[in-house]
Short mmCIF file of all heavy atoms in Angstrom, two decimals:
data_model
loop_
_atom_site.label_atom_id
_atom_site.label_comp_id
_atom_site.label_asym_id
_atom_site.label_seq_id
_atom_site.Cartn_x
_atom_site.Cartn_y
_atom_site.Cartn_z
N MET A 220 120.49 -11.21 31.47
CA MET A 220 119.98 -12.49 31.87
C MET A 220 119.04 -13.07 30.83
O MET A 220 119.13 -14.24 30.42
CB MET A 220 119.26 -12.38 33.22
CG MET A 220 118.63 -13.76 33.66
SD MET A 220 119.90 -15.04 34.02
CE MET A 220 120.35 -14.59 35.64
N TRP A 249 107.13 -6.56 28.02
CA TRP A 249 106.81 -6.95 29.36
C TRP A 249 106.35 -8.41 29.43
O TRP A 249 106.69 -9.10 30.37
CB TRP A 249 105.64 -6.03 29.93
CG TRP A 249 105.41 -6.30 31.38
CD1 TRP A 249 104.41 -7.10 31.91
CD2 TRP A 249 106.12 -5.68 32.46
NE1 TRP A 249 104.48 -6.99 33.29
CE2 TRP A 249 105.54 -6.21 33.64
CE3 TRP A 249 107.22 -4.82 32.47
CZ2 TRP A 249 105.99 -5.77 34.88
CZ3 TRP A 249 107.64 -4.44 33.79
CH2 TRP A 249 107.03 -4.94 34.93
N HIS A 274 106.97 -2.02 47.23
CA HIS A 274 107.12 -0.83 47.97
C HIS A 274 106.90 0.49 47.14
O HIS A 274 106.47 1.50 47.68
CB HIS A 274 108.47 -0.74 48.61
CG HIS A 274 108.68 -1.69 49.78
ND1 HIS A 274 108.32 -1.33 51.06
CD2 HIS A 274 109.01 -2.99 49.83
CE1 HIS A 274 108.56 -2.37 51.82
NE2 HIS A 274 109.01 -3.40 51.21
N SER A 318 123.87 11.06 42.63
CA SER A 318 124.88 11.51 41.68
C SER A 318 124.70 10.70 40.33
O SER A 318 124.59 9.46 40.44
CB SER A 318 126.29 11.33 42.18
OG SER A 318 127.22 11.69 41.18
N ASP A 325 130.26 16.21 28.06
CA ASP A 325 128.80 16.35 28.16
C ASP A 325 128.48 17.85 28.51
O ASP A 325 129.12 18.39 29.40
CB ASP A 325 128.21 15.38 29.29
CG ASP A 325 126.68 15.37 29.30
OD1 ASP A 325 126.12 16.42 29.62
OD2 ASP A 325 126.15 14.37 29.00
N TRP A 329 121.01 19.12 31.24
CA TRP A 329 119.86 18.59 32.03
C TRP A 329 120.10 18.93 33.53
O TRP A 329 119.19 19.25 34.23
CB TRP A 329 119.67 17.07 31.83
CG TRP A 329 119.34 16.80 30.43
CD1 TRP A 329 120.08 15.89 29.60
CD2 TRP A 329 118.22 17.26 29.62
NE1 TRP A 329 119.47 15.99 28.35
CE2 TRP A 329 118.40 16.69 28.36
CE3 TRP A 329 117.18 18.08 29.90
CZ2 TRP A 329 117.46 16.88 27.33
CZ3 TRP A 329 116.20 18.35 28.92
CH2 TRP A 329 116.35 17.74 27.61
N ALA A 389 136.15 22.13 36.90
CA ALA A 389 135.55 23.26 37.57
C ALA A 389 134.10 23.43 37.10
O ALA A 389 133.24 23.78 37.95
CB ALA A 389 136.38 24.54 37.30
N CYS A 410 153.84 7.51 36.91
CA CYS A 410 154.29 8.84 37.11
C CYS A 410 155.35 9.14 36.09
O CYS A 410 156.62 9.11 36.38
CB CYS A 410 154.80 8.95 38.56
SG CYS A 410 154.91 10.69 39.14
N ALA A 416 154.74 12.00 28.79
CA ALA A 416 153.25 12.01 28.76
C ALA A 416 152.79 12.77 27.50
O ALA A 416 151.87 12.38 26.82
CB ALA A 416 152.64 12.69 30.00
N ALA A 435 149.84 2.83 29.62
CA ALA A 435 150.75 3.74 30.34
C ALA A 435 150.13 5.16 30.44
O ALA A 435 150.26 5.82 31.41
CB ALA A 435 152.12 3.79 29.68
N GLY A 467 132.50 -8.08 20.66
CA GLY A 467 132.64 -7.00 19.69
C GLY A 467 131.47 -6.85 18.77
O GLY A 467 131.07 -5.74 18.39
N LEU A 610 127.49 2.97 58.39
CA LEU A 610 127.51 2.10 57.16
C LEU A 610 126.37 2.49 56.25
O LEU A 610 126.48 2.43 55.01
CB LEU A 610 127.55 0.63 57.53
CG LEU A 610 128.73 0.09 58.21
CD1 LEU A 610 128.49 -1.36 58.60
CD2 LEU A 610 130.00 0.35 57.48
#
Side-chain angles (χ1 to χ4, degrees):
M220 176 66 81
W249 190 262
H274 288 271
S318 178
D325 190 292
W329 301 119
C410 194
L610 296 176

